[in-house]
Amino acid sequence: MNAYVGTPTSRVDGRAKVTGAAKYAGEFAADGLLHGFVVAATIPCGRIARLDTSEALKVKGVLDVLTHTHRPPLAGKDDAWKDEVAPAEGSPFRPLYDDSIKFNGQPIALVVAEDWETAKFAATLVRVEYREEQAFATDLDAGRSKATEVKQPHEPRGDAVGALAKAAVRHDADYLIPTEHHNPMELFASTVVWDSSGRLTVYDKTQGVQNVHKFLCSVFDKKPDDIRVLSPYVGGAFGSGLRPQYQVVLAMLAALALRRSVRVVLTRQQMYGLGHRPATIEHVGLGAKSDGTLEAVTHEATAVTSRYEDFARNDSGWAEQLYKSPNSRYSHKLVRLDVSTPCDMRAPGAASGVCALECAMDELAVALKLDPIELRLKCYSDRDQSEDLPYTSKQLRECYARGAEAFGWSKRNPASRSMRDGKELVGWGMATGVWEALQMPVAARIGLTANGHAEVSCAASDIGTGTYTIVAQVAADALGLPIENIDVRLADSTLPQAPVEGGSWMAASSAHAVLGAADDIRQELIRLASAMPSSPLAGVDVADVILVGGTIAKAGDMGSAVSIADAMRHGKLERIEKQKLNHFAEDKSYARNTHSAVFAEVKVDEQLGVIRVTRVVSAVAAGRILNTKTGRSQIMGGVVWGIGMALHEETVMDHRFGRIMNANIAEYHIPVNADVQDIDVIFVEERDDRINTLGVKGLGEIGIVGVPAAIANAIYHATGKRIRRFPVTLDKLLA
Amino acid sequence: MINFQFSRARDVADAILLLTGHPGAKLIAGGTNLIDLMKENVEQPSRLIDISRLPLRTIEETADGGLRVGALVPNSGLAYDPLIEQRYPLLASAILAGASAQLRNMASVGGNLMQRTRCAYFYDTATPCNKRTRSSGCSAIDGLNRNHAILGASNSCIATNPSDMSVALAALDALVHIAGPSGERTMALTDFHRLPGETPDIDTNLEADEIITAVELPPRGFASNYSYLKIRDRLSYAFALVSVAAVLELEGNAISEARVALGGVAHKPWRSAEAEMALRGQAATVEHFSRFADSLLQEAKARSHNGFKIELARRAIVRTLMQAASATPQSQAHKKIA
């Protein structure tokens, strides 16, 4: 029964969030709570020559200043610092470990005081002298020649370079994506609650409590039972909370040093010292026959990473899923610079790489004098070419058709600068989006009580994406109970296993864990109901029995219904508890992806260069949509972020200082209300019986992919100017 | 942020007394800029003098038909005051082009005049900045200067003044009323802010022991032909790349008076009496406005990243004057430039 799955169910945690009842990591109280304030390095590379904390220690209310020479022990081996999503290559950053400075903004001391204001003041009194040992570098453009190839997302097919050189129509260009920061609304924070037994309860802003738990146990050499990590609510993270961040290590250090509870909250400025979407130069080459079929695709991404870890994602391989070409070559190069290690940020790799690919496709369409959709349909690939596999489902054609219809694409004049509205040039652009449909091992536990209430628990995080709600929906339907009777507990390291919440995998993964546990509950209830005297369910085939309306019944035969309460009472059970790990068939004969077609209208003031995105239509094919309300919001959020990526977002660094100069959200621009106008989200019907029981693929990333390219293509259509260095700002149009 | 003394002034005289002899003292009203700067350790006042309860919150008519606006009138209170809306819509429009509703509710008129530059180096104590620390050097001249001054800059500083309100006040020939130990004085708004010269650390001609008590608007409000146009990197809630406050008096299509002030381009709102004079008697046409823009920008100088602002300013001046001439002022609520 689907009373909830697939419906626009409101967030079950909505009331808690808007009333302030939902508590975040930096809001948990503890007796005698101390506050830590971070002192950050102001050079990008070198050593700490001297760290004088004497003045800070004199301030009334300051208990201690932790530094690399004055702190409890930390693990010494790299392996101990490798969390579940750490890059394979490299040596993870260790806060307050030694005197080396690896990036500007690196924490070098933690002032711990009775209150936050005192700690912040005393932090200004910590005196630091540095030894700058070597020239540093933070500029990707300047470092490009020193890039080293680290991986090929897919094996090359044919001779792409040769075919590109010989192609009748060719487009070959660099697209530049700047460094971007996640800027979640909630600041990174950890509250470590100390109790006299020595056990530590850690409230942390994270996308994975069990990842943090394991990491803290290994870094601090603790037993699993010594530490419990919780993160019941997260105010946005977008990938920045996948890896344990340094504030949780600092809060732990202070709690262990002082045997007190400690909270550390980073400032907005300090958060620019965490991970980021790496700046990339995306070089795309497309060679086509004059009929618009592709002969060659080459895509080489050159990305920034830190000196101490190799962070690399699949920027360049996406044409393999989208466009048929007999020859292809994809590569990923890294430039190691004196910055903190980049990290995943919504649609890592794809947001940047597909942006370049889709701008390049638009340029090819112009060169071929083809409609951009027509070009994409000519190159449409029904198979994932890298493994030559069919898809479990792929309704991208339908995305193009439905999106184009809703947008009114057929009325587009193909010539650039051909459409106008008063002083503004009007441009229509489109792009394709693609992401993976991943699923991971997740377990869920359901405790059903005889009064028809169930508690569903799982260690998964809800980072604002709606996991609480979809878990409640799936459980309510599977157990045949009203959603009000379902309590969901998440993000506690002691709950059943879950990986970090990311990659768009949590919806499918958690939903199927819940389904599995609910099925075990169902079987137990059938056993109990069948055993009742003159049970209408005696001898019935288990497969025919469902849970509906608080009863156990043969499908379609409510006359056979036995109430859950009666069955459990008869079995003398007050509570049934079942825990199950999800199970997905390991079928490697299909590719699994989500897709979208994004259409954008821009209006550009011809004289002043001011750009407005007046309309966006995003048509998404992502299997079954568990919740059309939160799902629509998630896609809208992706579109807004795509507007930012196209027009606003850029972390600006002064390479003379190796320092970010707009580390605040006044100067790091994201779209504000005025920049966001009509957004139309279309969920294209995509039935998928192969991918999993519910046919769910996940929505976290797909919303942003393609949006910046659609907007940049619209700007070209409006103005005739192709801006390949993002973001597209008015000075670039006026130049 | 450092520790500081806090005292509350009982009246204007008390505020002056509290300032006198305390070079590290700062007045605080709404605090929307000062507290930000204190959090960044850019401002480190030894004493904060709270003036928020002083009786400087009224808007009164003056004998000559103008208005006297108390220094503590909130920016939002000023923008939505019926007399301002009717008689000085340019000022209302400029205020609404700035900041956010929340900030405008807190920010005072006097505080708006005292707000400091948004130059990133000024804000970052890890980099040299002559405005923050005299003679430490200017990081912007050879650094990131995309949004820096094209007019009136010096070799010491190329920062800009971020205020929108001041740009409108400059165009309206407003006066600043000031009280100090030796009594009261008035100063033209256009003389209030300074060019950086060799002392960019001094933003204004207000003395350390003086307090702004009011801003006076002369009788002429140019309510028929005005416009405030702000060009920025997103459509709201960003500082100006270039802003233009323009007012006109027209006889038919002939200009009898024109006043234009530029924001976002210099250390102070930028006007040119000479260029304005040359517009008098001319027809309100794109051609004449273009010539005016060239004249107003005659001294403009580009740095490594901000050259686009010269052409942008030229075009924005023409657009704003056309909006003013056609009595179709720029809306600050529509998501569109008219």
Side-chain angles (χ1 to χ4, degrees):
Chain A
M1 291 293 286
N2 283 336
Y4 300 103
V5 167
T7 68
T9 303
S10 291
R11 286 174 186 271
V12 296
D13 52 343
R15 186 183 171 84
K17 283 189 167 173
V18 299
T19 58
K23 277 195 180 176
Y24 295 81
E27 297 182 322
F28 286 88
D31 288 340
L33 183 69
L34 299 176
H35 297 262
F37 193 86
V38 173
V39 179
T42 55
I43 63 163
C45 177
R47 292 194 178 274
I48 301 166
R50 210 169 73 86
L51 200 53
D52 178 359
T53 61
S54 56
E55 288 302 310
L57 284 165
K58 281 182 202 156
V59 176
K60 187 169 169 280
V62 171
L63 279 88
D64 207 350
V65 181
L66 302 181
T67 67
H68 65 283
T69 58
H70 174 66
R71 56 155 175 83
L74 289 165
K77 293 215 167 85
D78 280 342
D79 278 355
W81 293 85
K82 290 222 173 185
D83 69 282
E84 106 190 21
V85 279
E89 296 298 319
S91 170
F93 172 64
R94 310 171 188 182
L96 307 192
Y97 190 76
D98 58 22
D99 64 352
S100 68
I101 304 291
K102 295 181 160 61
F103 57 92
N104 219 322
Q106 171 183 326
I108 52 174
L110 184 78
V111 180
V112 189
E114 297 284 356
D115 60 77
W116 190 79
E117 289 75 11
T118 301
K120 187 172 183 354
F121 163 57
T124 66
L125 303 177
V126 174
R127 302 280 167 251
V128 192
E129 286 169 28
Y130 301 103
R131 203 161 58 238
E132 299 185 51
E133 290 177 331
Q134 67 210 51
F136 58 83
T138 54
D139 186 3
L140 173 62
D141 289 337
R144 185 181 192 179
S145 59
K146 297 189 194 108
T148 49
E149 184 160 334
V150 290
K151 73 171 187 182
Q152 297 186 339
H154 305 296
E155 290 294 309
R157 290 185 293 104
D159 171 18
V161 175
L164 183 63
K166 280 185 284 193
V169 180
R170 194 170 31 171
H171 169 69
D172 208 346
D174 279 346
Y175 299 85
L176 299 104
I177 311 292
T179 306
E180 297 170 355
H181 277 80
H182 311 69
N183 281 306
M185 203 188 298
E186 181 197 11
L187 300 171
F188 269 86
S190 306
T191 305
V192 175
V193 180
W194 167 272
D195 78 39
S196 51
S197 69
R199 285 167 53 110
L200 297 155
T201 305
V202 180
Y203 296 96
D204 188 34
K205 176 187 174 72
T206 176
Q207 295 175 239
V209 286
Q210 291 181 335
N211 185 34
V212 171
H213 177 257
K214 207 171 152 222
F215 172 82
L216 293 179
C217 286
S218 71
V219 164
F220 291 97
D221 193 22
K222 294 281 182 191
K223 295 188 194 67
D225 287 346
D226 295 340
I227 299 176
R228 177 180 176 195
V229 181
L230 300 100
S231 185
Y233 295 98
V234 178
F238 315 109
S240 61
L242 287 170
R243 299 185 68 182
Q245 294 295 1
Y246 68 73
Q247 90 287 340
V248 72
V249 177
L250 298 184
M252 282 283 292
L253 277 174
L256 292 169
L258 296 161
R259 301 172 67 83
R260 298 263 301 264
S261 298
V262 178
R263 175 188 297 160
V264 176
V265 182
L266 299 189
T267 64
R268 178 65 60 186
Q269 287 80 346
Q270 287 167 351
M271 281 168 55
Y272 285 79
L274 305 178
H276 45 92
R277 191 191 297 287
T280 51
I281 302 167
E282 309 274 351
H283 184 89
V284 181
L286 299 172
K289 291 185 188 163
S290 47
D291 68 354
T293 55
L294 282 171
E295 282 291 298
V297 178
T298 64
H299 189 159
E300 176 189 279
T302 306
V304 171
T305 191
S306 67
R307 296 262 186 223
Y308 53 94
E309 282 175 310
D310 281 358
F311 175 88
R313 288 291 178 263
N314 173 21
D315 284 56
S316 61
W318 297 97
E320 209 65 357
Q321 275 84 43
L322 291 176
Y323 303 124
K324 207 157 43 181
S325 169
N327 304 288
S328 65
R329 189 186 187 287
Y330 310 105
S331 63
H332 195 91
K333 293 182 170 178
L334 289 179
V335 179
R336 298 186 181 96
L337 297 174
D338 297 287
V339 298
S340 62
T341 305
C343 71
D344 290 313
M345 178 162 153
R346 203 170 199 175
S352 310
V354 175
C355 176
L357 174 64
E358 289 302 293
C359 287
M361 284 294 281
D362 198 70
E363 299 204 48
L364 183 66
V366 171
L368 286 161
K369 297 190 171 58
L370 274 180
D371 178 86
I373 300 179
E374 197 184 337
L375 172 64
R376 285 164 175 84
L377 291 174
K378 275 180 186 287
C379 305
Y380 195 88
S381 181
D382 287 310
R383 297 178 81 80
D384 177 336
Q385 298 165 99
S386 65
E387 308 280 338
D388 193 27
L389 297 175
Y391 291 91
T392 58
S393 59
K394 180 174 181 175
Q395 290 298 321
L396 177 56
R397 276 183 211 280
E398 194 63 14
C399 293
Y400 291 135
R402 293 280 309 280
E405 188 192 346
F407 189 81
W409 186 259
S410 61
K411 297 188 206 73
R412 179 178 186 263
N413 182 331
S416 64
R417 299 183 66 87
S418 63
M419 293 163 63
R420 184 178 277 281
D421 176 11
K423 296 184 182 73
E424 291 177 309
L425 297 165
V426 178
W428 288 3
M430 61 82 58
T432 311
V434 57
W435 185 248
E436 297 167 303
L438 301 164
Q439 35 204 25
M440 304 286 271
V442 170
R445 181 162 62 228
I446 299 179
L448 176 70
T449 44
N451 63 2
H453 280 71
E455 183 184 81
V456 187
S457 50
C458 171
S461 294
D462 182 339
I463 60 170
T465 44
T467 310
Y468 277 106
T469 307
I470 57 163
V471 163
Q473 288 176 272
V474 172
D477 279 355
L479 298 170
L481 296 174
I483 199 164
E484 297 75 26
N485 289 16
I486 310 291
D487 282 324
V488 182
R489 285 183 59 210
L490 298 176
D492 175 338
S493 60
T494 62
L495 295 176
Q497 88 172 68
V500 292
E501 202 281 8
S504 301
W505 59 58
M506 196 52 86
S509 307
S510 61
H512 289 85
V514 172
L515 272 192
D519 196 58
D520 284 1
I521 297 259
R522 182 183 68 96
Q523 298 200 32
E524 176 75 3
L525 288 171
I526 296 167
R527 194 183 62 74
L528 295 171
S530 311
M532 290 166 69
S534 56
S535 169
L537 295 170
V540 74
D541 184 348
V542 172
D544 294 338
V545 179
I546 57 170
L547 302 180
V548 57
T551 73
I552 310 142
K554 271 190 275 189
D557 174 13
M558 284 309 284
S560 68
V562 174
S563 84
I564 289 173
D566 285 350
M568 287 180 69
R569 223 164 279 138
H570 185 265
K572 298 196 168 43
L573 286 176
E574 215 14 69
R575 180 181 168 90
I576 303 173
E577 190 172 286
K578 297 287 179 189
Q579 179 170 329
K580 191 92 168 186
L581 182 68
N582 61 9
H583 173 75
F584 297 108
E586 272 279 303
D587 188 350
K588 294 205 166 136
S589 56
Y590 290 95
R592 296 166 172 82
N593 288 90
T594 54
H595 298 88
S596 69
V598 185
F599 297 81
E601 175 183 85
V602 300
K603 294 190 176 175
V604 183
D605 189 291
E606 190 178 10
Q607 283 291 308
L608 303 171
V610 174
I611 305 162
R612 304 188 296 139
V613 179
T614 46
R615 283 195 298 142
V616 176
V617 173
S618 176
V620 176
R624 175 183 288 183
I625 308 306
L626 287 168
N627 185 326
T628 50
K629 188 175 185 178
T630 55
R632 180 169 178 275
S633 294
Q634 202 162 20
I635 299 301
M636 284 177 69
V639 170
V640 171
W641 202 333
I643 293 171
M645 194 168 174
L647 303 183
H648 307 122
E649 291 200 48
E650 179 175 18
T651 302
V652 179
M653 192 171 259
D654 185 323
H655 300 299
R656 299 171 304 169
F657 304 117
R659 207 166 156 78
I660 294 168
M661 295 311 300
N662 62 342
N664 61 74
I665 41 180
E667 317 291 338
Y668 181 103
H669 288 163
I670 59 169
V672 294
N673 265 321
D675 298 295
V676 179
Q677 304 196 21
D678 290 347
I679 298 174
D680 185 9
V681 177
I682 298 167
F683 287 120
V684 170
E685 178 89 24
E686 186 175 66
R687 196 187 153 96
D688 192 328
D689 297 327
R690 292 193 184 93
I691 193 156
N692 51 43
T693 309
L694 290 170
V696 175
K697 287 183 167 179
L699 286 174
E701 335 286 318
I702 187 67
I704 186 177
V705 187
V707 178
I711 292 168
N713 295 340
I715 291 169
Y716 169 78
H717 183 235
T719 65
K721 288 200 172 170
R722 188 67 73 171
I723 309 299
R724 302 192 185 100
R725 186 179 280 271
F726 286 82
V728 184
T729 48
L730 62 85
D731 49 326
K732 294 173 188 170
L733 282 184
L734 294 177
Chain B
M1 190 180 263
I2 63 160
N3 282 340
F4 52 86
Q5 277 187 358
F6 183 84
S7 39
R8 179 168 288 150
R10 289 187 305 273
D11 51 34
V12 170
D14 189 35
I16 294 164
L17 206 62
L18 287 163
L19 280 171
T20 308
H22 281 89
K26 286 261 177 201
L27 302 177
I28 183 163
T32 54
N33 188 218
L34 178 58
I35 289 177
D36 259 5
L37 291 166
M38 287 171 67
K39 286 180 180 173
E40 298 299 316
N41 297 313
V42 175
E43 296 275 14
Q44 302 194 321
S46 54
R47 169 185 271 190
L48 279 189
I49 304 161
D50 176 15
I51 56 165
S52 64
R53 298 185 187 193
L54 299 188
L56 303 172
R57 287 185 172 262
T58 54
I59 300 174
E60 290 161 4
E61 303 217 35
T62 57
D64 66 358
L67 290 178
R68 183 184 162 109
V69 178
L72 291 172
V73 171
N75 286 188
S76 51
L78 185 57
Y80 295 118
D81 183 89
L83 288 176
I84 298 291
E85 286 179 326
Q86 287 157 26
R87 285 155 57 176
Y88 305 94
L90 173 77
L91 178 57
S93 182
I95 292 169
L96 295 178
S100 67
Q102 295 89 333
L103 287 166
R104 293 192 296 264
N105 286 342
M106 284 300 292
S108 66
V109 165
N112 191 317
L113 296 183
M114 297 302 291
Q115 69 179 302
R116 310 207 66 187
T117 185
R118 304 300 302 201
C119 173
Y121 302 102
F122 175 68
Y123 258 78
D124 184 354
T125 54
T127 61
C129 168
N130 287 326
K131 185 181 278 298
R132 195 166 11 82
T133 311
R134 197 182 282 189
S135 302
S136 62
C138 173
S139 300
I141 285 177
D142 296 313
L144 300 166
N145 52 36
R146 179 172 174 272
N147 199 13
H148 283 71
I150 51 174
L151 287 161
S154 71
N155 288 330
S156 295
C157 181
I158 59 170
T160 60
N161 182 307
S163 172
D164 291 295
M165 186 189 79
S166 296
V167 183
L169 290 177
L172 292 169
D173 277 348
L175 298 171
V176 184
H177 287 255
I178 294 164
S182 48
E184 299 194 358
R185 60 178 181 137
T186 59
M187 192 187 289
L189 185 285
T190 48
D191 294 331
F192 184 78
H193 297 100
R194 297 158 56 101
L195 290 180
E198 295 306 307
T199 54
D201 50 319
I202 308 171
D203 287 353
T204 71
N205 286 315
L206 190 74
E207 297 296 333
D209 51 6
E210 288 184 315
I211 173 172
I212 302 167
T213 54
V215 166
E216 184 182 332
L217 297 167
R220 294 173 72 190
F222 300 91
S224 306
N225 296 94
Y226 73 94
S227 189
Y228 187 75
L229 178 61
K230 181 177 183 181
I231 310 294
R232 45 194 148 177
D233 276 323
R234 61 183 167 193
L235 296 177
S236 181
Y237 201 38
F239 293 97
L241 295 166
V242 169
S243 72
V244 187
V247 292
L248 291 172
E249 195 167 271
L250 298 171
E251 282 163 21
N253 195 37
I255 297 162
S256 53
E257 174 136 9
R259 298 191 202 156
V260 176
L262 301 183
V265 295
H267 209 250
K268 59 185 288 189
W270 195 262
R271 278 183 69 179
S272 163
E274 199 184 331
E276 288 172 13
M277 193 62 84
L279 260 187
R280 285 197 186 177
Q282 304 280 344
T285 63
V286 168
E287 190 196 343
H288 291 137
F289 291 152
S290 299
R291 208 174 299 151
F292 167 79
D294 289 340
S295 163
L296 186 55
L297 294 164
Q298 204 171 8
E299 313 273 311
K301 184 179 167 190
R303 305 282 166 171
S304 43
H305 304 123
N306 68 354
F308 77 98
K309 286 175 71 166
I310 299 174
E311 180 61 19
L312 181 64
R314 206 183 68 79
R315 295 178 185 193
I317 291 164
V318 175
R319 177 71 65 85
T320 316
L321 280 164
M322 288 304 289
Q323 290 175 337
S326 59
T328 52
Q330 175 61 40
S331 160
Q332 304 303 344
H334 294 164
K335 298 177 174 184
K336 180 178 179 171
I337 287 176

